[in-house]
Structure formats: C-alpha cells, structure tokens
Amino acid sequence: MIVIIKRGTPQKEIDDLTNQLTAKGVEVNPVVGKDLIILGLVGDTSKIDDSWIEANRNVERVMHVAEPFKKANRMFHPAPTVVEVGENRIGGKKLAMIAGPCSVESEQQICGVAEEVKRIGANFLRGGAFKPRTSPYAFQGLKYDGLELLKEARAATGLPIVTEIMSPYDIEIFERDVDIIQVGARNMQNFELLKELGRTRKPILLKRGLSATIEEWLMSAEYIMSGGNESIILCERGIRTFETYTRNTLDLSAIPAIKKLSHLPIVVDPSHATGKWWMVDPLAKAAVAVGADGLIIEVHNDPANALCDGQQSIKPSVYGELVEELRPIAAAVGREL
Ligand code: PEP
Ligand code: MN
C-alpha cells in the first residue's frame, strides 16, 4: 500500500501518522522527494482500512499495489491447490467432471442419471435439493428428502455428491451428508453463510455471483479461507451483461485470470452460463481449452419434462458424445478425463 502525503505537511504530523501505521503492524518506508512524500507500507495491510488513512487531513491519496485477498492469492501460495474429495482430486491433471440434473426429482430420476453419467465417465454427481428459484411459486426442491435420494445415488454409484446449501442452519447436515457443498451464485456474498462454511473442513464449490467482479469473488473465497477452510473450488457460471440472447455471458477470460491471481482450482458451468442445451457442448470445450480444472454440467434423463432448467439440460447420450470429444482437447492442454 502506498500513502501519498499532502505537500507542506509538517514533519511532526508525518511522524504521528507513521507511528499510527506502525502500531497496526506494518513497516513504513518513507520516500522523500522534492515535491512529494510517499509512505510505502510493507506487510499485512489487509486489516488496514483505506478510509481510515484517507480520513487523515494530511493524506492526498492511498494506492494499492497488492490485491486485498491474501489466502486466495497466488503470490503467497504459488503452487496450485488440489482439493481432495475422498479418492478424487480437483485441480490436478485429471479434469473434474461433475454432472447430474438441476434438481433431484425422484429416486428413479437421480439414481438413473447417476448410473448413466458414471458409465460415461463423470466423477461427481450434482443435483439440487434446495433450489434458489426466482419465483416463490416455482419448484423449490425436495429439500431433506432430496438429500436422502442423493445419498442413495451415491451409495449405488460411488459418485461423490455436490449439492447447494442455502442456509447456515443446514450446515451440520450438509457437513455430515454431502461431499462438496455448493454455494450458489445468489449466495456468493452471503457473508454469514461464508463465515460458517469457513468453520467446516468440507470442500466448497463457490459459484461466481451474478454480477460479481473477479476480485469480489476471490474476496468471498477469502471469507471462507480466513475461517480455516482452504478447500475451495471456484465455479464460473456466467455473469450478467447487456446481452439477453443467452441466460448469462460466460466469462471465459475469468479462467486464465483466476489462474494468474489465485492458486484455487476453477471449474466452469456452461449450463447456467448459457441457458441453452445446445450451447453446452461448444462452451464446455472452450472452457477446457482455456485451462478450466473441470466442468459442472446439467444432465437430465428427460429434459422436456424437467422440474427445473430443462432448456439447458443435456441428455445422457449428448453428454457421452461431449465427453468423447473433450478427450483430445484435454490432451492438447496437458489434461485428461
Ligand atoms: C445450480 O447450480 O443449480 C444453480 C442454481 O446455479 P447458480 O447458482 O449458478 O445459478
Ligand atoms: Mn439449474
């Protein structure tokens, strides 16, 4: 952090500010020029509030030279994080292939889809039990019964389960029953939920908020990590832009950006990013080509009659073709399925 001092500030007042800053645990290095005095702050500035420094009448401006996220920052953790989920890993050479319906609808549906995606090569099963729907009149999910059905599908296939949490009240049950806890786009900045998830040791799939910048998203990861849970998988699922043709706009540039800024693995959700089943294939391929660590894709046995997101769900047969076509793309970028 750099603090620019106003011209003509008496030395005594610069010394007072220097002492106040030192008391916050940072090292203060003054640079005295003919026209300007600059204080260079070195150390952990994450707990120093800019507005507190800017409130000092002798301060002209405060500038940041490092990002506000620390634990999620690649600068302080150069090696990529590989999140372990039982026998599986997310962030290594092998791509995480997460597939399943938007929502758990019945035993037959979730177990049937689980068997099919497992046979095709998926290594995780997704399925919403608690659904964050825009309309209160829309299907809200089977809730706790849905979790039980997911557990049945896991028992039948061995696939670890990924499902969304909506409330901090459910943490205990999710911690016990779920393999990866998903934080949906709408809850990316539910800071109380993030803090509670920081206390668990379960892997968290943190989706990017509808209009969140990359920095805001990484600050949400920082909330969880600052509580001690460093097993985070980021998920790019498209952002709101002026374009209405697609449900969201898939920000493919977020993948190399995250790889540069952070050590955390990142997967891509082309289903919610586009809202169109026929766009899932090309964008899944693009995501792998630009370095995603995996894909989370909505697969449904009967998309036309799905209770949620049928328009963006692909059938198992389409998923099977995609997985085969992804193999050479993954190999070209040093990954495997
Ligand atoms: C989902 O994955 O089911 C979901 C609701 O996604 P998002 O939070 O990205 O909208
Ligand atoms: Mn969905």
Side-chain angles (χ1 to χ4, degrees):
M1 194 184 260
I2 288 171
V3 180
I4 303 175
I5 304 294
K6 278 187 187 152
R7 205 184 274 256
T9 299
Q11 187 57 43
K12 160 87 176 64
E13 297 194 22
I14 298 175
D15 292 343
D16 288 348
L17 177 60
T18 301
N19 290 338
Q20 286 171 13
L21 290 166
T22 310
K24 299 247 176 214
V26 292
E27 191 186 302
V28 180
N29 298 292
V31 179
V32 182
K34 196 160 72 66
D35 298 317
L36 273 183
I37 295 181
I38 291 170
L39 304 180
L41 275 47
V42 184
D44 183 6
T45 54
S46 60
K47 294 190 182 69
I48 303 181
D49 188 355
D50 290 19
S51 50
W52 170 76
I53 306 177
E54 272 164 354
N56 185 302
R57 63 193 167 95
N58 298 313
V59 170
E60 181 72 47
R61 200 144 55 99
V62 176
M63 287 158 68
H64 286 273
V65 287
E67 294 85 10
F69 44 92
K70 304 291 170 202
K71 288 184 182 290
N73 201 318
R74 188 147 212 158
M75 198 151 36
F76 308 114
H77 187 303
T81 286
V82 177
V83 173
E84 295 195 5
V85 188
E87 313 269 272
N88 297 280
R89 280 165 178 62
I90 303 183
K93 185 169 182 183
K94 194 170 161 65
L95 295 177
M97 296 296 287
I98 310 170
C102 178
S103 310
V104 180
E105 298 173 11
S106 67
E107 182 184 15
Q108 195 194 14
Q109 175 242 20
I110 191 67
C111 292
V113 174
E115 296 283 359
E116 297 223 54
V117 297
K118 158 106 190 205
R119 184 181 45 75
I120 291 164
N123 33 27
F124 297 89
L125 174 68
R126 66 148 288 149
F130 297 84
K131 294 305 303 176
R133 305 302 300 278
T134 303
S135 166
Y137 309 116
F139 175 60
Q140 304 285 308
L142 296 182
K143 305 195 171 76
Y144 302 102
D145 292 341
L147 285 184
E148 290 305 313
L149 296 179
L150 280 168
K151 282 159 67 181
E152 265 186 51
R154 174 176 58 198
T157 59
L159 291 178
I161 53 181
V162 184
T163 194
E164 178 167 355
I165 193 164
M166 301 231 311
S167 160
Y169 301 119
D170 290 327
I171 288 208
E172 227 169 273
I173 192 163
F174 270 68
E175 213 175 348
R176 192 190 64 207
D177 290 347
V178 170
D179 300 295
I180 300 180
I181 305 178
Q182 176 173 328
V183 175
R186 291 155 194 81
N187 270 317
M188 188 206 84
Q189 286 189 316
N190 181 342
F191 299 118
E192 290 310 311
L193 179 62
L194 301 180
K195 281 190 243 173
E196 287 299 323
L197 291 169
R199 287 191 248 279
T200 77
R201 291 297 173 267
K202 276 278 158 171
I204 309 295
L205 183 95
L206 179 63
K207 287 195 146 194
R208 183 177 183 180
L210 277 72
S211 299
T213 63
I214 287 173
E215 186 170 298
E216 285 164 343
W217 187 17
L218 287 171
M219 288 307 284
S220 291
E222 193 78 13
Y223 258 92
I224 303 171
M225 297 176 91
S226 65
N229 185 357
E230 307 212 344
S231 296
I232 298 178
I233 304 131
L234 299 166
C235 176
E236 162 61 40
R237 46 77 72 204
I239 47 172
R240 283 249 163 111
T241 66
F242 54 81
E243 183 56 73
T244 54
Y245 185 73
T246 44
R247 182 174 179 178
N248 292 291
T249 297
L250 178 60
D251 182 6
L252 278 175
S253 66
I255 297 129
I258 289 289
K259 290 283 168 204
K260 185 173 170 63
L261 293 169
S262 179
H263 51 89
L264 296 172
I266 175 169
V267 300
V268 168
D269 175 346
S271 311
H272 291 90
T274 61
K276 297 187 190 302
W277 70 268
W278 53 273
M279 278 198 185
V280 168
D281 175 289
L283 289 174
K285 291 172 178 164
V288 170
V290 296
D293 295 296
L295 295 165
I296 175 166
I297 293 180
E298 287 186 339
V299 179
H300 197 286
N301 53 319
D302 182 12
N305 290 301
L307 294 183
C308 184
D309 287 351
Q311 79 291 351
Q312 66 192 35
S313 301
I314 55 174
K315 292 185 178 164
S317 56
V318 176
Y319 186 61
E321 284 164 23
L322 168 62
V323 167
E324 287 318 307
E325 289 172 14
L326 276 171
R327 288 189 201 283
I329 298 170
V333 291
R335 311 299 283 266
E336 62 188 32
L337 264 81

